[in-house]
mmCIF file with all atom_site columns, all heavy atoms in Angstrom:
data_model
loop_
_atom_site.group_PDB
_atom_site.id
_atom_site.type_symbol
_atom_site.label_atom_id
_atom_site.label_alt_id
_atom_site.label_comp_id
_atom_site.label_asym_id
_atom_site.label_entity_id
_atom_site.label_seq_id
_atom_site.pdbx_PDB_ins_code
_atom_site.Cartn_x
_atom_site.Cartn_y
_atom_site.Cartn_z
_atom_site.occupancy
_atom_site.B_iso_or_equiv
_atom_site.pdbx_formal_charge
_atom_site.auth_seq_id
_atom_site.auth_comp_id
_atom_site.auth_asym_id
_atom_site.auth_atom_id
_atom_site.pdbx_PDB_model_num
ATOM 1   N N   . SER F 1 1  ? 0.849  -1.198  0.061   1.00 0.00 ? 1245 SER F N   1
ATOM 2   C CA  . SER F 1 1  ? 0.018  0.026   0.008   1.00 0.00 ? 1245 SER F CA  1
ATOM 3   C C   . SER F 1 1  ? 0.890  1.244   0.011   1.00 0.00 ? 1245 SER F C   1
ATOM 4   O O   . SER F 1 1  ? 2.034  1.175   0.425   1.00 0.00 ? 1245 SER F O   1
ATOM 5   C CB  . SER F 1 1  ? -0.960 -0.004  1.220   1.00 0.00 ? 1245 SER F CB  1
ATOM 6   O OG  . SER F 1 1  ? -0.214 0.062   2.397   1.00 0.00 ? 1245 SER F OG  1
ATOM 7   N N   . GLY F 1 2  ? 0.302  2.357   -0.485  1.00 0.00 ? 1246 GLY F N   1
ATOM 8   C CA  . GLY F 1 2  ? 1.042  3.557   -0.553  1.00 0.00 ? 1246 GLY F CA  1
ATOM 9   C C   . GLY F 1 2  ? 1.464  3.901   -1.922  1.00 0.00 ? 1246 GLY F C   1
ATOM 10  O O   . GLY F 1 2  ? 1.157  3.170   -2.912  1.00 0.00 ? 1246 GLY F O   1
ATOM 11  N N   . ARG F 1 3  ? 2.329  4.939   -2.123  1.00 0.00 ? 1247 ARG F N   1
ATOM 12  C CA  . ARG F 1 3  ? 2.801  5.374   -3.396  1.00 0.00 ? 1247 ARG F CA  1
ATOM 13  C C   . ARG F 1 3  ? 4.021  4.607   -3.808  1.00 0.00 ? 1247 ARG F C   1
ATOM 14  O O   . ARG F 1 3  ? 5.080  4.806   -3.299  1.00 0.00 ? 1247 ARG F O   1
ATOM 15  C CB  . ARG F 1 3  ? 3.084  6.888   -3.364  1.00 0.00 ? 1247 ARG F CB  1
ATOM 16  C CG  . ARG F 1 3  ? 1.871  7.748   -3.059  1.00 0.00 ? 1247 ARG F CG  1
ATOM 17  C CD  . ARG F 1 3  ? 0.895  7.756   -4.286  1.00 0.00 ? 1247 ARG F CD  1
ATOM 18  N NE  . ARG F 1 3  ? -0.195 8.729   -4.070  1.00 0.00 ? 1247 ARG F NE  1
ATOM 19  C CZ  . ARG F 1 3  ? -1.095 8.954   -4.996  1.00 0.00 ? 1247 ARG F CZ  1
ATOM 20  N NH1 . ARG F 1 3  ? -1.018 8.399   -6.191  1.00 0.00 ? 1247 ARG F NH1 1
ATOM 21  N NH2 . ARG F 1 3  ? -2.070 9.831   -4.752  1.00 0.00 ? 1247 ARG F NH2 1
ATOM 22  N N   . ILE F 1 4  ? 3.825  3.749   -4.848  1.00 0.00 ? 1248 ILE F N   1
ATOM 23  C CA  . ILE F 1 4  ? 4.955  2.945   -5.387  1.00 0.00 ? 1248 ILE F CA  1
ATOM 24  C C   . ILE F 1 4  ? 4.938  3.102   -6.880  1.00 0.00 ? 1248 ILE F C   1
ATOM 25  O O   . ILE F 1 4  ? 3.919  2.986   -7.555  1.00 0.00 ? 1248 ILE F O   1
ATOM 26  C CB  . ILE F 1 4  ? 4.766  1.461   -4.973  1.00 0.00 ? 1248 ILE F CB  1
ATOM 27  C CG1 . ILE F 1 4  ? 4.668  1.271   -3.495  1.00 0.00 ? 1248 ILE F CG1 1
ATOM 28  C CG2 . ILE F 1 4  ? 5.900  0.643   -5.600  1.00 0.00 ? 1248 ILE F CG2 1
ATOM 29  C CD1 . ILE F 1 4  ? 4.395  -0.079  -3.036  1.00 0.00 ? 1248 ILE F CD1 1
ATOM 30  N N   . SER F 1 5  ? 6.124  3.346   -7.414  1.00 0.00 ? 1249 SER F N   1
ATOM 31  C CA  . SER F 1 5  ? 6.322  3.472   -8.854  1.00 0.00 ? 1249 SER F CA  1
ATOM 32  C C   . SER F 1 5  ? 5.934  2.255   -9.554  1.00 0.00 ? 1249 SER F C   1
ATOM 33  O O   . SER F 1 5  ? 6.149  1.107   -9.028  1.00 0.00 ? 1249 SER F O   1
ATOM 34  C CB  . SER F 1 5  ? 7.751  3.808   -9.158  1.00 0.00 ? 1249 SER F CB  1
ATOM 35  O OG  . SER F 1 5  ? 7.988  3.766   -10.550 1.00 0.00 ? 1249 SER F OG  1
ATOM 36  N N   . SER F 1 6  ? 5.374  2.397   -10.737 1.00 0.00 ? 1250 SER F N   1
ATOM 37  C CA  . SER F 1 6  ? 5.013  1.136   -11.537 1.00 0.00 ? 1250 SER F CA  1
ATOM 38  C C   . SER F 1 6  ? 6.279  0.447   -12.037 1.00 0.00 ? 1250 SER F C   1
ATOM 39  O O   . SER F 1 6  ? 6.135  -0.673  -12.527 1.00 0.00 ? 1250 SER F O   1
ATOM 40  C CB  . SER F 1 6  ? 4.054  1.548   -12.705 1.00 0.00 ? 1250 SER F CB  1
ATOM 41  O OG  . SER F 1 6  ? 4.703  2.484   -13.537 1.00 0.00 ? 1250 SER F OG  1
ATOM 42  N N   . ILE F 1 7  ? 7.381  1.111   -12.042 1.00 0.00 ? 1251 ILE F N   1
ATOM 43  C CA  . ILE F 1 7  ? 8.644  0.469   -12.482 1.00 0.00 ? 1251 ILE F CA  1
ATOM 44  C C   . ILE F 1 7  ? 9.305  -0.091  -11.253 1.00 0.00 ? 1251 ILE F C   1
ATOM 45  O O   . ILE F 1 7  ? 9.912  0.610   -10.472 1.00 0.00 ? 1251 ILE F O   1
ATOM 46  C CB  . ILE F 1 7  ? 9.562  1.505   -13.104 1.00 0.00 ? 1251 ILE F CB  1
ATOM 47  C CG1 . ILE F 1 7  ? 8.864  2.184   -14.367 1.00 0.00 ? 1251 ILE F CG1 1
ATOM 48  C CG2 . ILE F 1 7  ? 10.846 0.887   -13.631 1.00 0.00 ? 1251 ILE F CG2 1
ATOM 49  C CD1 . ILE F 1 7  ? 9.648  3.287   -14.942 1.00 0.00 ? 1251 ILE F CD1 1
ATOM 50  N N   . ASN F 1 8  ? 9.161  -1.361  -11.097 1.00 0.00 ? 1252 ASN F N   1
ATOM 51  C CA  . ASN F 1 8  ? 9.624  -1.954  -9.854  1.00 0.00 ? 1252 ASN F CA  1
ATOM 52  C C   . ASN F 1 8  ? 9.900  -3.451  -10.031 1.00 0.00 ? 1252 ASN F C   1
ATOM 53  O O   . ASN F 1 8  ? 9.391  -4.064  -10.991 1.00 0.00 ? 1252 ASN F O   1
ATOM 54  C CB  . ASN F 1 8  ? 8.641  -1.760  -8.677  1.00 0.00 ? 1252 ASN F CB  1
ATOM 55  C CG  . ASN F 1 8  ? 7.338  -2.411  -8.859  1.00 0.00 ? 1252 ASN F CG  1
ATOM 56  O OD1 . ASN F 1 8  ? 7.263  -3.685  -8.737  1.00 0.00 ? 1252 ASN F OD1 1
ATOM 57  N ND2 . ASN F 1 8  ? 6.331  -1.630  -9.073  1.00 0.00 ? 1252 ASN F ND2 1
ATOM 58  N N   . THR F 1 9  ? 10.704 -4.025  -9.074  1.00 0.00 ? 1253 THR F N   1
ATOM 59  C CA  . THR F 1 9  ? 10.907 -5.427  -8.984  1.00 0.00 ? 1253 THR F CA  1
ATOM 60  C C   . THR F 1 9  ? 10.397 -5.885  -7.627  1.00 0.00 ? 1253 THR F C   1
ATOM 61  O O   . THR F 1 9  ? 10.810 -5.327  -6.599  1.00 0.00 ? 1253 THR F O   1
ATOM 62  C CB  . THR F 1 9  ? 12.354 -5.798  -9.216  1.00 0.00 ? 1253 THR F CB  1
ATOM 63  O OG1 . THR F 1 9  ? 12.814 -5.431  -10.537 1.00 0.00 ? 1253 THR F OG1 1
ATOM 64  C CG2 . THR F 1 9  ? 12.572 -7.284  -9.038  1.00 0.00 ? 1253 THR F CG2 1
ATOM 65  N N   . MET F 1 10 ? 9.519  -6.923  -7.642  1.00 0.00 ? 1254 MET F N   1
ATOM 66  C CA  . MET F 1 10 ? 9.144  -7.594  -6.416  1.00 0.00 ? 1254 MET F CA  1
ATOM 67  C C   . MET F 1 10 ? 9.932  -8.834  -6.169  1.00 0.00 ? 1254 MET F C   1
ATOM 68  O O   . MET F 1 10 ? 10.271 -9.557  -7.199  1.00 0.00 ? 1254 MET F O   1
ATOM 69  C CB  . MET F 1 10 ? 7.645  -7.822  -6.422  1.00 0.00 ? 1254 MET F CB  1
ATOM 70  C CG  . MET F 1 10 ? 6.795  -6.625  -6.521  1.00 0.00 ? 1254 MET F CG  1
ATOM 71  S SD  . MET F 1 10 ? 5.028  -6.998  -6.514  1.00 0.00 ? 1254 MET F SD  1
ATOM 72  C CE  . MET F 1 10 ? 4.289  -5.397  -6.223  1.00 0.00 ? 1254 MET F CE  1
ATOM 73  N N   . ALA F 1 11 ? 10.110 -9.146  -4.974  1.00 0.00 ? 1255 ALA F N   1
ATOM 74  C CA  . ALA F 1 11 ? 10.983 -10.322 -4.636  1.00 0.00 ? 1255 ALA F CA  1
ATOM 75  C C   . ALA F 1 11 ? 10.565 -10.982 -3.300  1.00 0.00 ? 1255 ALA F C   1
ATOM 76  O O   . ALA F 1 11 ? 9.898  -10.360 -2.452  1.00 0.00 ? 1255 ALA F O   1
ATOM 77  C CB  . ALA F 1 11 ? 12.455 -9.934  -4.612  1.00 0.00 ? 1255 ALA F CB  1
ATOM 78  N N   . TRP F 1 12 ? 11.000 -12.234 -3.163  1.00 0.00 ? 1256 TRP F N   1
ATOM 79  C CA  . TRP F 1 12 ? 10.877 -12.969 -1.904  1.00 0.00 ? 1256 TRP F CA  1
ATOM 80  C C   . TRP F 1 12 ? 12.249 -13.382 -1.443  1.00 0.00 ? 1256 TRP F C   1
ATOM 81  O O   . TRP F 1 12 ? 13.025 -13.862 -2.296  1.00 0.00 ? 1256 TRP F O   1
ATOM 82  C CB  . TRP F 1 12 ? 9.992  -14.171 -2.013  1.00 0.00 ? 1256 TRP F CB  1
ATOM 83  C CG  . TRP F 1 12 ? 8.497  -13.877 -2.096  1.00 0.00 ? 1256 TRP F CG  1
ATOM 84  C CD1 . TRP F 1 12 ? 7.786  -13.773 -3.273  1.00 0.00 ? 1256 TRP F CD1 1
ATOM 85  C CD2 . TRP F 1 12 ? 7.625  -13.604 -1.077  1.00 0.00 ? 1256 TRP F CD2 1
ATOM 86  N NE1 . TRP F 1 12 ? 6.493  -13.450 -3.044  1.00 0.00 ? 1256 TRP F NE1 1
ATOM 87  C CE2 . TRP F 1 12 ? 6.325  -13.341 -1.674  1.00 0.00 ? 1256 TRP F CE2 1
ATOM 88  C CE3 . TRP F 1 12 ? 7.736  -13.574 0.311   1.00 0.00 ? 1256 TRP F CE3 1
ATOM 89  C CZ2 . TRP F 1 12 ? 5.171  -13.099 -0.881  1.00 0.00 ? 1256 TRP F CZ2 1
ATOM 90  C CZ3 . TRP F 1 12 ? 6.612  -13.288 1.054   1.00 0.00 ? 1256 TRP F CZ3 1
ATOM 91  C CH2 . TRP F 1 12 ? 5.379  -13.036 0.497   1.00 0.00 ? 1256 TRP F CH2 1
ATOM 92  N N   . HIS F 1 13 ? 12.591 -13.119 -0.266  1.00 0.00 ? 1257 HIS F N   1
ATOM 93  C CA  . HIS F 1 13 ? 13.808 -13.580 0.461   1.00 0.00 ? 1257 HIS F CA  1
ATOM 94  C C   . HIS F 1 13 ? 13.420 -14.453 1.595   1.00 0.00 ? 1257 HIS F C   1
ATOM 95  O O   . HIS F 1 13 ? 12.271 -14.420 2.083   1.00 0.00 ? 1257 HIS F O   1
ATOM 96  C CB  . HIS F 1 13 ? 14.632 -12.352 0.973   1.00 0.00 ? 1257 HIS F CB  1
ATOM 97  C CG  . HIS F 1 13 ? 15.011 -11.381 -0.101  1.00 0.00 ? 1257 HIS F CG  1
ATOM 98  N ND1 . HIS F 1 13 ? 16.361 -11.156 -0.440  1.00 0.00 ? 1257 HIS F ND1 1
ATOM 99  C CD2 . HIS F 1 13 ? 14.303 -10.474 -0.842  1.00 0.00 ? 1257 HIS F CD2 1
ATOM 100 C CE1 . HIS F 1 13 ? 16.418 -10.176 -1.392  1.00 0.00 ? 1257 HIS F CE1 1
ATOM 101 N NE2 . HIS F 1 13 ? 15.166 -9.801  -1.613  1.00 0.00 ? 1257 HIS F NE2 1
ATOM 102 N N   . ARG F 1 14 ? 14.444 -15.245 2.067   1.00 0.00 ? 1258 ARG F N   1
ATOM 103 C CA  . ARG F 1 14 ? 14.198 -16.043 3.247   1.00 0.00 ? 1258 ARG F CA  1
ATOM 104 C C   . ARG F 1 14 ? 15.448 -16.093 4.072   1.00 0.00 ? 1258 ARG F C   1
ATOM 105 O O   . ARG F 1 14 ? 16.581 -15.962 3.582   1.00 0.00 ? 1258 ARG F O   1
ATOM 106 C CB  . ARG F 1 14 ? 13.702 -17.433 2.876   1.00 0.00 ? 1258 ARG F CB  1
ATOM 107 C CG  . ARG F 1 14 ? 14.796 -18.295 2.184   1.00 0.00 ? 1258 ARG F CG  1
ATOM 108 C CD  . ARG F 1 14 ? 14.167 -19.626 1.740   1.00 0.00 ? 1258 ARG F CD  1
ATOM 109 N NE  . ARG F 1 14 ? 15.069 -20.478 1.021   1.00 0.00 ? 1258 ARG F NE  1
ATOM 110 C CZ  . ARG F 1 14 ? 14.800 -21.653 0.467   1.00 0.00 ? 1258 ARG F CZ  1
ATOM 111 N NH1 . ARG F 1 14 ? 13.529 -22.120 0.493   1.00 0.00 ? 1258 ARG F NH1 1
ATOM 112 N NH2 . ARG F 1 14 ? 15.725 -22.342 -0.198  1.00 0.00 ? 1258 ARG F NH2 1
ATOM 113 N N   . GLN F 1 15 ? 15.232 -16.292 5.399   1.00 0.00 ? 1259 GLN F N   1
ATOM 114 C CA  . GLN F 1 15 ? 16.323 -16.388 6.312   1.00 0.00 ? 1259 GLN F CA  1
ATOM 115 C C   . GLN F 1 15 ? 16.081 -17.499 7.346   1.00 0.00 ? 1259 GLN F C   1
ATOM 116 O O   . GLN F 1 15 ? 15.124 -17.445 8.075   1.00 0.00 ? 1259 GLN F O   1
ATOM 117 C CB  . GLN F 1 15 ? 16.558 -15.129 7.042   1.00 0.00 ? 1259 GLN F CB  1
ATOM 118 C CG  . GLN F 1 15 ? 17.851 -15.081 7.856   1.00 0.00 ? 1259 GLN F CG  1
ATOM 119 C CD  . GLN F 1 15 ? 18.222 -13.677 8.322   1.00 0.00 ? 1259 GLN F CD  1
ATOM 120 O OE1 . GLN F 1 15 ? 17.355 -12.722 8.381   1.00 0.00 ? 1259 GLN F OE1 1
ATOM 121 N NE2 . GLN F 1 15 ? 19.462 -13.524 8.605   1.00 0.00 ? 1259 GLN F NE2 1
ATOM 122 N N   . ALA F 1 16 ? 16.924 -18.558 7.258   1.00 0.00 ? 1260 ALA F N   1
ATOM 123 C CA  . ALA F 1 16 ? 16.830 -19.655 8.207   1.00 0.00 ? 1260 ALA F CA  1
ATOM 124 C C   . ALA F 1 16 ? 17.616 -19.324 9.436   1.00 0.00 ? 1260 ALA F C   1
ATOM 125 O O   . ALA F 1 16 ? 18.562 -18.500 9.422   1.00 0.00 ? 1260 ALA F O   1
ATOM 126 C CB  . ALA F 1 16 ? 17.359 -20.910 7.589   1.00 0.00 ? 1260 ALA F CB  1
ATOM 127 N N   . PRO F 1 17 ? 17.293 -19.962 10.602  1.00 0.00 ? 1261 PRO F N   1
ATOM 128 C CA  . PRO F 1 17 ? 18.032 -19.658 11.795  1.00 0.00 ? 1261 PRO F CA  1
ATOM 129 C C   . PRO F 1 17 ? 19.554 -19.870 11.703  1.00 0.00 ? 1261 PRO F C   1
ATOM 130 O O   . PRO F 1 17 ? 19.950 -20.879 11.085  1.00 0.00 ? 1261 PRO F O   1
ATOM 131 C CB  . PRO F 1 17 ? 17.471 -20.643 12.844  1.00 0.00 ? 1261 PRO F CB  1
ATOM 132 C CG  . PRO F 1 17 ? 16.082 -20.893 12.311  1.00 0.00 ? 1261 PRO F CG  1
ATOM 133 C CD  . PRO F 1 17 ? 16.204 -20.882 10.811  1.00 0.00 ? 1261 PRO F CD  1
ATOM 134 N N   . GLY F 1 18 ? 20.344 -18.868 12.075  1.00 0.00 ? 1262 GLY F N   1
ATOM 135 C CA  . GLY F 1 18 ? 21.727 -18.921 12.037  1.00 0.00 ? 1262 GLY F CA  1
ATOM 136 C C   . GLY F 1 18 ? 22.351 -18.814 10.629  1.00 0.00 ? 1262 GLY F C   1
ATOM 137 O O   . GLY F 1 18 ? 23.595 -19.018 10.482  1.00 0.00 ? 1262 GLY F O   1
ATOM 138 N N   . LYS F 1 19 ? 21.561 -18.443 9.622   1.00 0.00 ? 1263 LYS F N   1
ATOM 139 C CA  . LYS F 1 19 ? 22.073 -18.305 8.284   1.00 0.00 ? 1263 LYS F CA  1
ATOM 140 C C   . LYS F 1 19 ? 21.819 -16.995 7.710   1.00 0.00 ? 1263 LYS F C   1
ATOM 141 O O   . LYS F 1 19 ? 20.988 -16.202 8.248   1.00 0.00 ? 1263 LYS F O   1
ATOM 142 C CB  . LYS F 1 19 ? 21.457 -19.388 7.373   1.00 0.00 ? 1263 LYS F CB  1
ATOM 143 C CG  . LYS F 1 19 ? 21.838 -20.798 7.761   1.00 0.00 ? 1263 LYS F CG  1
ATOM 144 C CD  . LYS F 1 19 ? 21.395 -21.801 6.675   1.00 0.00 ? 1263 LYS F CD  1
ATOM 145 C CE  . LYS F 1 19 ? 21.842 -23.208 6.983   1.00 0.00 ? 1263 LYS F CE  1
ATOM 146 N NZ  . LYS F 1 19 ? 21.433 -24.186 6.006   1.00 0.00 ? 1263 LYS F NZ  1
ATOM 147 N N   . GLN F 1 20 ? 22.494 -16.605 6.648   1.00 0.00 ? 1264 GLN F N   1
ATOM 148 C CA  . GLN F 1 20 ? 22.263 -15.299 5.987   1.00 0.00 ? 1264 GLN F CA  1
ATOM 149 C C   . GLN F 1 20 ? 20.979 -15.287 5.194   1.00 0.00 ? 1264 GLN F C   1
ATOM 150 O O   . GLN F 1 20 ? 20.478 -16.320 4.712   1.00 0.00 ? 1264 GLN F O   1
ATOM 151 C CB  . GLN F 1 20 ? 23.464 -15.043 5.052   1.00 0.00 ? 1264 GLN F CB  1
ATOM 152 C CG  . GLN F 1 20 ? 24.806 -14.923 5.706   1.00 0.00 ? 1264 GLN F CG  1
ATOM 153 C CD  . GLN F 1 20 ? 24.889 -13.754 6.593   1.00 0.00 ? 1264 GLN F CD  1
ATOM 154 O OE1 . GLN F 1 20 ? 24.471 -12.648 6.334   1.00 0.00 ? 1264 GLN F OE1 1
ATOM 155 N NE2 . GLN F 1 20 ? 25.415 -14.004 7.822   1.00 0.00 ? 1264 GLN F NE2 1
ATOM 156 N N   . ARG F 1 21 ? 20.497 -14.091 4.994   1.00 0.00 ? 1265 ARG F N   1
ATOM 157 C CA  . ARG F 1 21 ? 19.262 -13.941 4.157   1.00 0.00 ? 1265 ARG F CA  1
ATOM 158 C C   . ARG F 1 21 ? 19.576 -14.308 2.750   1.00 0.00 ? 1265 ARG F C   1
ATOM 159 O O   . ARG F 1 21 ? 20.610 -13.898 2.255   1.00 0.00 ? 1265 ARG F O   1
ATOM 160 C CB  . ARG F 1 21 ? 18.724 -12.549 4.309   1.00 0.00 ? 1265 ARG F CB  1
ATOM 161 C CG  . ARG F 1 21 ? 17.390 -12.353 3.657   1.00 0.00 ? 1265 ARG F CG  1
ATOM 162 C CD  . ARG F 1 21 ? 16.740 -10.981 3.965   1.00 0.00 ? 1265 ARG F CD  1
ATOM 163 N NE  . ARG F 1 21 ? 16.487 -10.856 5.435   1.00 0.00 ? 1265 ARG F NE  1
ATOM 164 C CZ  . ARG F 1 21 ? 15.873 -9.789  5.950   1.00 0.00 ? 1265 ARG F CZ  1
ATOM 165 N NH1 . ARG F 1 21 ? 15.441 -8.842  5.195   1.00 0.00 ? 1265 ARG F NH1 1
ATOM 166 N NH2 . ARG F 1 21 ? 15.692 -9.740  7.325   1.00 0.00 ? 1265 ARG F NH2 1
ATOM 167 N N   . GLU F 1 22 ? 18.593 -15.084 2.129   1.00 0.00 ? 1266 GLU F N   1
ATOM 168 C CA  . GLU F 1 22 ? 18.829 -15.562 0.740   1.00 0.00 ? 1266 GLU F CA  1
ATOM 169 C C   . GLU F 1 22 ? 17.744 -15.066 -0.177  1.00 0.00 ? 1266 GLU F C   1
ATOM 170 O O   . GLU F 1 22 ? 16.549 -15.073 0.147   1.00 0.00 ? 1266 GLU F O   1
ATOM 171 C CB  . GLU F 1 22 ? 18.804 -17.114 0.842   1.00 0.00 ? 1266 GLU F CB  1
ATOM 172 C CG  . GLU F 1 22 ? 18.892 -17.818 -0.511  1.00 0.00 ? 1266 GLU F CG  1
ATOM 173 C CD  . GLU F 1 22 ? 18.666 -19.270 -0.430  1.00 0.00 ? 1266 GLU F CD  1
ATOM 174 O OE1 . GLU F 1 22 ? 17.825 -19.721 0.390   1.00 0.00 ? 1266 GLU F OE1 1
ATOM 175 O OE2 . GLU F 1 22 ? 19.277 -20.001 -1.162  1.00 0.00 ? 1266 GLU F OE2 1
ATOM 176 N N   . LEU F 1 23 ? 18.105 -14.636 -1.371  1.00 0.00 ? 1267 LEU F N   1
ATOM 177 C CA  . LEU F 1 23 ? 17.184 -14.210 -2.370  1.00 0.00 ? 1267 LEU F CA  1
ATOM 178 C C   . LEU F 1 23 ? 16.568 -15.550 -2.970  1.00 0.00 ? 1267 LEU F C   1
ATOM 179 O O   . LEU F 1 23 ? 17.292 -16.396 -3.498  1.00 0.00 ? 1267 LEU F O   1
ATOM 180 C CB  . LEU F 1 23 ? 17.841 -13.399 -3.484  1.00 0.00 ? 1267 LEU F CB  1
ATOM 181 C CG  . LEU F 1 23 ? 16.891 -12.933 -4.605  1.00 0.00 ? 1267 LEU F CG  1
ATOM 182 C CD1 . LEU F 1 23 ? 15.801 -12.099 -4.164  1.00 0.00 ? 1267 LEU F CD1 1
ATOM 183 C CD2 . LEU F 1 23 ? 17.758 -12.231 -5.716  1.00 0.00 ? 1267 LEU F CD2 1
ATOM 184 N N   . VAL F 1 24 ? 15.229 -15.598 -2.961  1.00 0.00 ? 1268 VAL F N   1
ATOM 185 C CA  . VAL F 1 24 ? 14.553 -16.802 -3.467  1.00 0.00 ? 1268 VAL F CA  1
ATOM 186 C C   . VAL F 1 24 ? 13.995 -16.620 -4.838  1.00 0.00 ? 1268 VAL F C   1
ATOM 187 O O   . VAL F 1 24 ? 14.193 -17.470 -5.669  1.00 0.00 ? 1268 VAL F O   1
ATOM 188 C CB  . VAL F 1 24 ? 13.367 -17.171 -2.483  1.00 0.00 ? 1268 VAL F CB  1
ATOM 189 C CG1 . VAL F 1 24 ? 12.618 -18.403 -2.990  1.00 0.00 ? 1268 VAL F CG1 1
ATOM 190 C CG2 . VAL F 1 24 ? 13.930 -17.511 -1.080  1.00 0.00 ? 1268 VAL F CG2 1
ATOM 191 N N   . ALA F 1 25 ? 13.292 -15.533 -5.095  1.00 0.00 ? 1269 ALA F N   1
ATOM 192 C CA  . ALA F 1 25 ? 12.652 -15.302 -6.376  1.00 0.00 ? 1269 ALA F CA  1
ATOM 193 C C   . ALA F 1 25 ? 12.393 -13.850 -6.658  1.00 0.00 ? 1269 ALA F C   1
ATOM 194 O O   . ALA F 1 25 ? 12.182 -13.086 -5.639  1.00 0.00 ? 1269 ALA F O   1
ATOM 195 C CB  . ALA F 1 25 ? 11.369 -16.132 -6.472  1.00 0.00 ? 1269 ALA F CB  1
ATOM 196 N N   . THR F 1 26 ? 12.469 -13.434 -7.894  1.00 0.00 ? 1270 THR F N   1
ATOM 197 C CA  . THR F 1 26 ? 12.100 -12.062 -8.292  1.00 0.00 ? 1270 THR F CA  1
ATOM 198 C C   . THR F 1 26 ? 11.207 -12.032 -9.450  1.00 0.00 ? 1270 THR F C   1
ATOM 199 O O   . THR F 1 26 ? 11.135 -12.994 -10.238 1.00 0.00 ? 1270 THR F O   1
ATOM 200 C CB  . THR F 1 26 ? 13.402 -11.265 -8.679  1.00 0.00 ? 1270 THR F CB  1
ATOM 201 O OG1 . THR F 1 26 ? 13.981 -11.863 -9.826  1.00 0.00 ? 1270 THR F OG1 1
ATOM 202 C CG2 . THR F 1 26 ? 14.448 -11.291 -7.574  1.00 0.00 ? 1270 THR F CG2 1
ATOM 203 N N   . ILE F 1 27 ? 10.457 -10.923 -9.566  1.00 0.00 ? 1271 ILE F N   1
ATOM 204 C CA  . ILE F 1 27 ? 9.581  -10.751 -10.741 1.00 0.00 ? 1271 ILE F CA  1
ATOM 205 C C   . ILE F 1 27 ? 9.524  -9.242  -11.004 1.00 0.00 ? 1271 ILE F C   1
ATOM 206 O O   . ILE F 1 27 ? 9.306  -8.396  -10.116 1.00 0.00 ? 1271 ILE F O   1
ATOM 207 C CB  . ILE F 1 27 ? 8.130  -11.307 -10.434 1.00 0.00 ? 1271 ILE F CB  1
ATOM 208 C CG1 . ILE F 1 27 ? 7.264  -11.169 -11.706 1.00 0.00 ? 1271 ILE F CG1 1
ATOM 209 C CG2 . ILE F 1 27 ? 7.539  -10.712 -9.213  1.00 0.00 ? 1271 ILE F CG2 1
ATOM 210 C CD1 . ILE F 1 27 ? 5.982  -11.993 -11.630 1.00 0.00 ? 1271 ILE F CD1 1
#
């Protein structure tokens, strides 16, 4: 919600316990 440009990339990241955050998928 809010003002977001139509030119953007959406993504999902994940972080398991004790590990670095990982990029999972982008669109």
Side-chain angles (χ1 to χ4, degrees):
S1245 61
R1247 296 289 185 177
I1248 301 175
S1249 171
S1250 60
I1251 304 174
N1252 65 72
T1253 297
M1254 295 180 167
W1256 288 95
H1257 301 246
R1258 66 186 180 185
Q1259 187 167 21
K1263 296 189 176 182
Q1264 299 295 315
R1265 188 170 297 186
E1266 174 188 37
L1267 177 62
V1268 177
T1270 64
I1271 183 167

